[in-house]
Amino acid sequence: MSRSSEAQNPCIDAAIIGGGIAGAWLYHLLTRRGYNVILLEAETLGAGQTLASQGMIHGGLKYALTGTITRASEAIASMPSRWRTCLEQADADVDLASLDVVADTYYMFARNSAYGKLTSFFASRALRGRIERIKDVQSLPEFAGFDGVVYALRDFVIDPEDLLGKLVAINPDRVFQLRAGPENVRRLADGQYQLDLLDQQLNARYLISCAGNGSSELLTQLQIPNIAVQQRPLKQVIVRPAAHQVKLFAHCITGVTSSEPRLTITSHASSNGLIWYLGGLLASEGVHLSDEEQCARAAAELTTCVPWLDWRGASYEALSVNRAEPRQTSGSRPDEAYAAKQDNFIQCFPTKLTLAPDLGDRVLALLEPPRSSTAWQSNHPRAAVGQAPW
C-alpha cells in the first residue's frame, strides 16, 4: 500500500492485542477516558490465562506466610479496595457495578497446632484491618466440624467470565476476533501501526500488547527490543465432590513452611454441578508431576487439609496453566504489574488478576491524551467471551 493510501485510513488512538483481563480492563478504562480504541483477540476473550484463574481479588497476605511483610504482599495490599470502588461507584474509571461477587469474604485456616509464629503475626498492628480471627468457627457452615483456627480476609472472589463480559460491554462493536500476525499488523514509517480487518484498514497511534503467551511472538514479529518474557507454569486441579455440596473459599496453611498457602481453594458452578478448584503450593510444586500423580496428590491433600468433609467418590482433573510475565533475573514471580513503552508500542503484563487497576495506572501514564474522534464501521467478526475450563 502506498503512503498516501495509508494516510487515508481511519486513525484511532490505540489497538489492544489480547482479550484477557489486561486487554479487556484497558479497553474499558481507555474507552471511558475518551480514547478511540479497538480490542483484537485471536480466540475467545479470556481463553489463555484469565478464565483459568480462580477469580481472587486479594490483598497479598498469602505472600506473607513466612511471618514478615514482603514487597509482594505490600505491592498488592490496596487492590481489594480499588476493586470495591469499581464495584460500588458507577463513576469509577472502570464500572463494575453490576458484576456478581461469587464470595465476599475469603478465609485462611489451619489446625490449632499448625500456626506457629503466624498467630502473633496475624494479630500484629501492621495487619490491623486486613485480617480478623473468627471467634466462633462453627458459626460458619463451610467450617462445621473443623477443629482449628480460621481468619477472615478482606479479599473476595469474582467470576472471570462475567468480569470479561462486563468490561467489553462498554463498546462490543470494537472487540474483534483477529490473530495478530505480519499479514495484518505492521508498523508504518511514521511510527503508527496499520491493522487489516476483513473489510477495513485502520491506523493506530499506539499498539498495546496484552497478548500473554503470544507476547514473545509479537515482540519478535515487530522487532521490539529490550523486552523479555518468562513463563511460570502451574498445574491446578479441578475436583468434583460426590458426597457433599459445600462451597469453600479459603487458603489452607496447615503446616505451611513457605510463603505460599498449601492449598488455595475456590468453588464454582459448572454444567455438571459444583467443582472445587485447587491452587497454591499444590499447583506450583505439581508442574513436574503427571496428571495422574497430581490428582492423587490433590486427593491426599484434601483428605489431610479438609478432613471434616467427605471426599469419597470425588473425581479429579489436572489443568495445566502457563503464565506469561516480564522476565525476572531470578525467574521468580514479579511483584507488580508491568507496562513498558518503546516508541508507540506498549507491552503489558498484569502479573495477577488482582493487579489490573495497577496496570491501568501504568498504561495511562505512558499515553498522550486521546486525539481521535474518527467514526468508522466494520463487519469483521466480533470476539466472544470464552468459558471457564470446567
Side-chain angles (χ1 to χ4, degrees):
M1 174 175 289
S2 68
R3 185 180 299 271
S4 59
S5 57
E6 288 172 356
Q8 294 170 6
N9 291 337
C11 184
I12 60 175
D13 289 307
I16 301 169
I17 309 294
I21 178 58
W25 186 278
L26 291 175
Y27 178 72
H28 186 106
L29 174 65
L30 296 183
T31 299
R32 279 178 72 91
R33 286 295 189 98
Y35 288 88
N36 190 345
V37 294
I38 64 171
L39 177 61
L40 305 178
E41 164 56 42
E43 299 176 19
T44 54
L45 300 172
Q49 302 169 68
T50 301
L51 291 175
S53 76
Q54 292 185 281
M56 290 175 51
I57 308 302
H58 68 90
L61 282 187
K62 69 173 188 171
Y63 300 144
L65 297 181
T66 56
T68 57
I69 296 292
T70 65
R71 179 179 175 182
S73 66
E74 293 311 284
I76 206 169
S78 65
M79 290 300 107
S81 62
R82 293 282 304 273
W83 279 81
R84 288 191 187 277
T85 297
C86 296
L87 288 165
E88 296 165 2
Q89 298 180 16
D91 60 349
D93 273 343
V94 172
D95 177 12
L96 299 178
S98 59
L99 179 69
D100 281 339
V101 174
V102 176
D104 196 51
T105 304
Y106 208 86
Y107 297 101
M108 189 175 283
F109 70 95
R111 293 194 306 270
N112 279 317
S113 60
Y115 254 83
K117 66 178 181 179
L118 290 176
T119 303
S120 58
F121 175 59
F122 289 158
S124 68
R125 181 176 299 179
L127 298 187
R128 190 169 297 168
R130 296 174 65 180
I131 186 168
E132 178 183 359
R133 183 165 177 171
I134 301 296
K135 295 179 180 178
D136 183 9
V137 172
Q138 297 307 307
S139 67
L140 301 174
E142 57 267 63
F143 288 101
F146 172 56
D147 180 19
V149 180
V150 178
Y151 284 86
L153 307 175
R154 65 178 182 178
D155 307 346
F156 58 99
V157 180
I158 53 88
D159 179 354
E161 188 175 328
D162 189 31
L163 171 64
L164 291 171
K166 296 292 191 298
L167 290 173
V168 301
I170 191 170
N171 190 358
D173 285 339
R174 294 290 184 264
V175 180
F176 300 109
Q177 185 175 42
L178 181 72
R179 183 176 297 278
E183 70 282 1
N184 51 39
V185 178
R186 62 189 64 86
R187 187 177 180 183
L188 302 176
D190 62 0
Q192 295 190 95
Y193 288 87
Q194 181 178 301
L195 312 160
D196 292 357
L197 304 180
L198 289 180
D199 59 354
Q200 176 75 71
Q201 287 184 327
L202 302 169
N203 290 357
R205 289 171 59 209
Y206 294 100
L207 190 69
I208 303 175
S209 171
C210 302
N213 284 300
S215 297
S216 292
E217 182 178 350
L218 189 61
L219 289 165
T220 299
Q221 171 196 324
L222 297 175
Q223 298 181 334
I224 306 296
N226 305 321
I227 298 176
V229 181
Q230 71 179 26
Q231 294 181 327
R232 284 193 308 116
L234 290 174
K235 186 167 282 194
Q236 311 255 126
V237 178
I238 300 168
V239 184
R240 300 184 188 277
H244 72 81
Q245 290 295 297
V246 176
K247 294 182 179 180
L248 185 62
F249 300 88
H251 301 299
C252 174
I253 60 171
T254 295
V256 69
T257 57
S258 75
S259 61
E260 190 171 9
R262 184 168 176 173
L263 286 179
T264 291
I265 304 163
T266 53
S267 306
H268 308 271
S270 77
S271 58
N272 296 319
L274 177 72
I275 67 104
W276 278 33
Y277 196 29
L278 307 182
L281 201 61
L282 169 78
S284 56
E285 287 189 344
V287 294
H288 302 300
L289 300 178
S290 68
D291 288 357
E292 293 76 13
E293 291 170 332
Q294 179 70 339
C295 289
R297 181 178 175 184
E301 285 290 87
L302 283 176
T303 301
T304 299
C305 296
V306 195
W308 66 95
L309 295 179
D310 188 349
W311 295 103
R312 289 175 296 181
S315 63
Y316 300 83
E317 177 187 351
L319 177 68
S320 295
V321 180
N322 209 14
R323 296 170 294 183
E325 302 165 338
R327 183 175 296 169
Q328 308 295 291
T329 53
S330 62
S332 60
R333 178 192 62 243
D335 294 328
E336 301 168 322
Y338 174 92
K341 180 174 177 286
Q342 297 201 15
D343 298 320
N344 286 356
F345 178 91
I346 300 175
Q347 176 64 52
C348 300
F349 292 104
T351 303
K352 302 288 290 184
L353 177 77
T354 310
L355 285 166
D358 180 37
L359 178 66
D361 295 344
R362 292 168 186 269
V363 172
L364 284 173
L366 298 175
L367 296 176
E368 295 179 357
R371 255 184 230 174
S372 173
S373 57
T374 304
W376 55 276
Q377 297 294 325
S378 173
N379 292 318
H380 189 98
R382 273 48 172 183
V385 177
Q387 294 183 327
W390 47 83

